[in-house]
Structure formats: C-alpha cells, structure tokens
Amino acid sequence: MAQLFSQTILAWYSLHKRDLPWRSPYNTPYHVLVSEFMLQQTQVLRVMEKFREFTSKFPTLHHLADASKADVIKSWSGLGYNRRALLLHSFAQEVAEKHHGEIPNTKEELQQLPGMGPYTTGAILSFAFNLPEPAIDVNVRRIYVRYFQGKDQGLPLGKKEEMELYTLVKNSIPDGRSSTFHNALMDFGSLICTRDAPQCSSCPLSSSCQFYPLYDTKKATVLFVAEKKIEPGVYEQGKFIPNRIFRGRIVEFVRKNDGRIVSVIKLGKTVKADFNTEQEWLLKLCEKLQHEKLIKYELMKDKIRMYLGP
Ligand code: SF4
C-alpha cells in the first residue's frame, strides 16, 4: 500500500508540480534553509517574492552570517513573525563559526542549531540533502492520517501515534527520491488533499484511500476542525486583534523610522488605528520586542527613539 501511495503521488507531481524558486536546481542547503524559515506561518506566494529579494541581498550563508541583526530584520519586512529572522541569522552565524559555513547533514548536528525543530531538521535533510528523513508538517500529517488510517486530524496525536506516523512516512519514501517525494507531498497537500475542501472526486488516490468513503458520506461531520488558539490581544475598532499583529506593526514602524525621535502618540496611532490612552500596553509590547532583541528604544517623556536590532 505504501508503494502504491508513493508511486501515485510521484506520478501526480510529475504533471502538477509548482515551480518554486527554492526547488531544484536551486535547492542548495542554504536556499532550502532560508525558504523553510520563511515558510513557517507565511503563505507560499508571499514567500516567493521575498525569497528572491532576500537571497539576492544575502546570496550565501556567509553573507547572512556577516550581516548585522538590524539589516537582517530590515530585510525580513513583509513576512511577519520577525523572530524567525533573528533565529535564521543566529543559525547562519553558528554554522559559519562551528561548521566552516557548511550546513551539516546529520540530524544530531542540525538539532543543536538555533531554530531547528523536528520538522525543520527533516526538511533540511530531505529537501537539501535528499536523505530519507521524514519532514512531517500539517500537510504531510493530514494526507497520511486520512489515506492510511481513514481519520481526519482534529486533535494532536499522542507520542505512540506520532512514532507510528514517523515510521509510516519513513517507510514510504522511495529510494533515492526523498527530496522530490517531499516536494510532491507538499504540493499534493496544498492542491488536492487540502484541509477544508479535499478534492476527493478527482484525487488519484481515491480508490485506495481509507478516508474517501467517509468523506463522501459524512463530509459535514468529519471535516477537519482546527483548534483555535487563544492568543493575547486587544480590540481595535471593535475587532479583536492578537498582539502579534501589533508587534509586527511596531517592527515595521521601526524599519521606517530607525534611529528617529518620534512622539509616543504617533507610534501608537500607527500601530493601532484607535490608539488613545493605551501607552502602558504599547510600551509593554516594545519592552518585549527589546527583550527579544528585535528592537531597542529610549523613552524621553512623551517621545521615543527606536532602533532595529539589539
Ligand atoms: S481521496 Fe480525498 S482524503 Fe483521500 S488522499 Fe485523496 S483528497 Fe485526500
């Protein structure tokens, strides 16, 4: 069954693959690394544009490692989740220092580096080095759980099930084709076996998929329901906005006003449309960003001077 699954996915991919700038023949370990950091929580289309800009500015790991944090944060504009820029920069610096600029190709070494979790480690090993290491993201998880187990993914799996899933994915990677196979899974999960509207009736796997009969008959009840995370935030013009959005706006403001003295009110009104008296809230966000080394600031009564980086 695993072989049929893998061969079908590869055959589908040979006809439908997406042309992405970090894929073969441009998939050097460095390019894969940058794309993986950018793709966490950000859509492919947005990443495509920024990826080209970023890799033109920092064409190699050494260029990135030698850049200042402020410069890297500046170049991350438009991608959100700015902490990823700092982690990527720290990763590059550590590789330059401890591995002579060569991104390592073992799980053990990669896991010691900043920003690496099980998925990113698997992604570097499979996409960049073509090694048979599973890179299990939400797409891969969803496809396997549906196809092999006939379940949909509503709740996180336990430790034992995670291990089983890992083994299942590992055993299904075709010999010598890990990179292509993982790219195929990513595209299949984004275009066919999607979260909310799987294209079961036109799916090449439907005749052997365990989930297909369920989807066909009870689709209203078995569709994936994401658990909503409750994030801290405040209301803006009557709508609840998580603090991470305001944090992103503060960093964006500093990108445009690096080193300038501005009034706290001006900062507040740029960050939050109906800003009025929430100075304490605003400064707490700034303090946290400073603590994370994304910005630094000096407060002068009702004025503030801000800089990018530590
Ligand atoms: S038949 Fe439907 S659920 Fe099964 S793999 Fe294809 S798209 Fe996914």
Side-chain angles (χ1 to χ4, degrees):
M1 194 165 175
Q3 208 187 355
L4 170 72
F5 170 83
S6 312
Q7 294 311 322
T8 310
I9 293 272
L10 283 174
W12 174 86
Y13 181 66
S14 67
L15 298 173
H16 303 282
K17 70 175 160 196
R18 292 181 294 182
D19 190 15
L20 303 176
W22 48 89
R23 285 188 176 169
S24 177
Y26 314 105
N27 59 335
T28 66
Y30 172 66
H31 287 86
V32 170
L33 173 80
V34 172
S35 71
E36 284 304 327
F37 271 79
M38 287 187 171
L39 286 163
Q40 292 163 24
Q41 323 267 4
T42 306
Q43 288 180 342
V44 169
L45 279 178
R46 200 149 168 214
V47 171
M48 279 172 78
E49 194 187 309
K50 293 305 298 181
F51 176 84
R52 290 196 184 95
E53 262 176 57
F54 194 88
T55 50
S56 309
K57 182 155 188 193
F58 309 111
T60 67
L61 184 129
H62 286 293
H63 288 91
L64 181 59
D66 291 345
S68 69
K69 290 218 183 301
D71 206 8
V72 177
I73 300 167
K74 201 165 195 166
S75 307
W76 203 259
S77 169
L79 286 163
Y81 293 93
N82 292 292
R83 281 193 67 222
R84 291 177 301 170
L86 289 183
L87 284 170
L88 175 61
H89 187 237
S90 303
F91 181 106
Q93 287 190 318
E94 221 167 299
V95 169
E97 200 183 303
K98 296 184 182 158
H99 299 273
H100 310 291
E102 297 288 326
I103 296 175
N105 64 355
T106 69
K107 204 168 166 175
E108 294 67 31
E109 287 170 304
L110 279 171
Q111 280 174 342
Q112 303 295 318
L113 292 164
M116 287 289 108
Y119 167 74
T120 29
T121 302
I124 304 286
L125 293 174
S126 58
F127 290 125
F129 295 108
N130 198 27
L131 291 168
E133 181 61 28
I136 306 179
D137 75 338
V138 284
N139 281 310
V140 174
R141 185 179 297 269
R142 183 174 62 248
I143 299 167
Y144 277 76
V145 169
R146 282 178 178 168
Y147 179 82
F148 288 97
Q149 299 170 351
K151 291 188 225 156
D152 216 348
Q153 177 203 353
L155 294 166
L157 302 176
K159 250 192 175 162
K160 187 170 159 265
E161 289 129 317
E162 282 291 348
M163 208 49 213
E164 282 167 7
L165 179 65
Y166 175 87
T167 310
L168 187 62
V169 179
K170 192 162 174 72
N171 291 339
S172 68
I173 301 173
D175 286 347
R177 303 202 66 190
S178 183
S179 180
T180 307
F181 181 63
H182 276 90
N183 280 322
L185 286 172
M186 297 301 159
D187 286 5
F188 193 80
S190 302
L191 303 171
I192 299 289
C193 197
T194 61
R195 194 190 77 170
D196 296 326
Q199 309 291 304
C200 296
S201 49
S202 58
C203 172
L205 288 169
S206 60
S207 59
S208 48
C209 174
Q210 305 293 306
F211 183 71
Y212 180 50
L214 297 169
Y215 175 69
D216 224 20
T217 54
K218 303 183 210 160
K219 60 178 158 188
T221 52
V222 294
L223 273 184
F224 176 89
V225 179
E227 281 186 287
K228 284 215 172 116
K229 270 210 286 188
I230 299 167
E231 290 184 71
V234 293
Y235 282 85
E236 178 185 49
Q237 296 178 323
K239 195 172 163 210
F240 183 78
I241 308 285
N243 279 343
R244 74 183 150 80
I245 302 290
F246 296 115
R247 285 164 47 90
R249 291 181 191 166
I250 294 174
V251 176
E252 198 50 47
F253 181 86
V254 185
R255 279 191 185 103
K256 292 176 186 150
N257 295 280
D258 199 6
R260 282 201 201 134
I261 297 174
V262 296
S263 70
V264 174
I265 291 284
K266 182 177 175 191
L267 169 67
K269 289 212 177 291
T270 311
V271 169
K272 186 172 181 286
D274 54 3
F275 183 82
N276 188 10
T277 54
E278 303 97 324
Q279 183 155 333
E280 202 184 327
W281 163 83
L282 181 69
L283 293 177
K284 259 193 190 151
L285 293 185
C286 292
E287 218 172 285
K288 188 135 194 289
L289 289 167
Q290 178 162 265
H291 181 72
E292 290 168 5
K293 302 190 176 9
L294 280 162
I295 64 162
K296 60 181 179 293
Y297 70 93
E298 300 156 32
L299 191 63
M300 299 158 262
K301 287 194 184 158
D302 56 349
K303 298 219 175 345
I304 190 164
R305 191 205 303 259
M306 306 173 92
Y307 306 89
L308 282 178

